Amino acid sequence: MHAAVKASRVARVLASSFVHRKSVEPSRPASTYASKVGKASYATVAMASVPDWRVLYFDAPTRGEQVRLLFVATGTPFEDVRFKFPGGIKAFQQATMSDDSPLAFDQVPCVEHDGQAIVQTVACMQYVGTQLGLTAGTPAGDSQALSLALGAEEARNAVFYGTLIPVIILKYLMGITLARAVTRWWRRGRYERWMGYFERLLRIRAGPYFVCDKLTYADVAIFDFLQGTLDVGAYTAADLHKDYPLLSVFVTRVRTTTPHLNAYLDKRGPVLKAMGFEK
C-alpha cells in the first residue's frame, strides 16, 4: 500500500473510539501510523531535547500503568497511547497492516524509543528505568532490581488481579462492600504471603527503598502493585500500616518524594474509579 494512503488510513483509525492519545511538550512528529491529537498535563517538566518515547497500553491503570509511572515520576515527556479494551489492539494492528505493528506477541504494554519496540512488562520497566536513570548503577544492584520487578509481577497476578477480578464480579451480585469482604476472606493467604515477602525484604535492606538509597524501576513496580492492591479495597491502608509497617512507610515515601507521580495519582483516582467500576 502506498505510504501516504496508509498513513491517512491509520490517522483515521487512531481518531476513532478504540484509542485516545496524550502527548507532552516537546511534541513528537507523527509516525507512519499515528497522529498527534492531544496533550497531557501531568508530566510538567519540559526539556529542550528529549528522546522520543511512546507507551502503548490499555486505558485501565492495570499492569502497564507502572511503565507510565516511570515517566511521570521523573517528569519525562512521553506519548501515551491508550487502547480501549478489548478491541483496541486488533484495530491498531489492522491500521498498521500487521507487519508494521510493534506489538510482538500481540501484547501490551509496549514502549517505542529510537526506532525500537520493547514489549513484555518487566523488559519495558528495565529498559525505561535504565534510560531514565532509575537503576542502582551496579551489576549486582541491577540484577537485584530485575529480580524484584519480576517478583512484583508474580505478586500482581496473585494479589492485585486476585482481588480485582472477584471484587468486580461480586460487586454486581452483592454490592461493593460485601464483595470486598468476601474477597478479603478468600484471598487472605495470598495477601499475607506476598506482603510478608516484601516487608521482610525491606527489613533486611534497612534502607528507604528495596535496592539502594534512591528510587529504582523495581521500587516503582512494587509501589504500583501495592497501591493498586490498596485501591481495590479488599485490604486497606490501615491493614498495611498495622501488619506491614515498613511497606506502609514505603508507599507514603514514594508518593511524598515524587510530586509528579503523586499529582498524577490524585488526578487519576483509585483503580476501580479510574476503570469506571466505582464512583
Side-chain angles (χ1 to χ4, degrees), residues 105-265:
F105 317 119
D106 296 343
Q107 294 177 341
V108 288
C110 173
V111 172
E112 289 186 290
H113 177 234
D114 284 349
Q116 300 296 315
I118 312 298
V119 296
Q120 299 293 331
T121 305
V122 175
C124 292
M125 293 294 287
Q126 182 187 42
Y127 179 73
V128 175
T130 300
Q131 295 295 314
L132 300 186
L134 296 176
T135 61
T138 65
D142 293 342
S143 295
Q144 186 178 17
L146 179 59
S147 68
L148 287 166
L150 289 166
E153 283 306 288
E154 290 192 50
R156 187 184 312 276
N157 291 336
V159 184
F160 171 69
Y161 284 110
T163 56
L164 176 69
I165 294 171
V167 164
I168 289 174
I169 294 173
L170 293 174
K171 170 183 181 290
Y172 294 101
L173 301 175
M174 58 186 65
I176 189 67
T177 300
L178 191 55
R180 282 172 168 151
V182 171
T183 301
R184 178 186 179 90
W185 166 79
W186 185 24
R187 297 305 197 194
R188 178 168 293 279
R190 296 185 181 190
Y191 171 81
E192 291 178 347
R193 174 191 176 196
W194 283 101
M195 296 303 172
Y197 286 157
F198 288 119
E199 179 80 2
R200 184 183 69 209
L201 288 168
L202 265 185
R203 184 172 62 251
I204 293 171
R205 170 73 182 85
Y209 300 108
F210 279 89
V211 180
C212 58
D213 289 338
K214 69 168 188 172
L215 189 75
T216 68
Y217 72 87
D219 295 298
V220 174
I222 296 169
F223 166 81
D224 184 55
F225 152 66
L226 293 171
Q227 185 64 69
T229 299
L230 297 179
D231 283 352
V232 173
Y235 305 97
T236 66
D239 294 324
L240 196 71
H241 179 73
K242 175 179 177 293
D243 299 321
Y244 307 100
L246 295 180
L247 292 183
S248 179
V249 171
F250 169 77
V251 170
T252 301
R253 176 180 294 114
V254 172
R255 294 197 64 148
T256 57
T257 59
T258 50
H260 293 309
L261 183 147
N262 192 54
Y264 171 83
L265 293 178

Side-chain angles (χ1 to χ4, degrees), residues 47-115:
M47 302 178 186
S49 178
V50 297
D52 291 336
W53 290 101
R54 178 188 285 115
V55 177
L56 297 88
Y57 189 64
F58 296 114
D59 192 31
T62 48
R63 190 182 308 278
E65 181 77 349
Q66 59 188 297
V67 182
R68 295 181 184 125
L69 294 186
L70 294 178
F71 294 100
V72 174
T74 57
T76 302
F78 73 106
E79 190 173 15
D80 190 5
V81 179
R82 297 182 174 227
F83 298 121
K84 289 192 174 181
F85 184 83
I89 290 180
K90 186 65 176 177
F92 177 81
Q93 290 173 318
Q94 290 174 347
T96 59
M97 300 304 290
S98 297
D99 56 333
D100 290 340
S101 171
L103 304 182
F105 317 119
D106 296 343
Q107 294 177 341
V108 288
C110 173
V111 172
E112 289 186 290
H113 177 234
D114 284 349

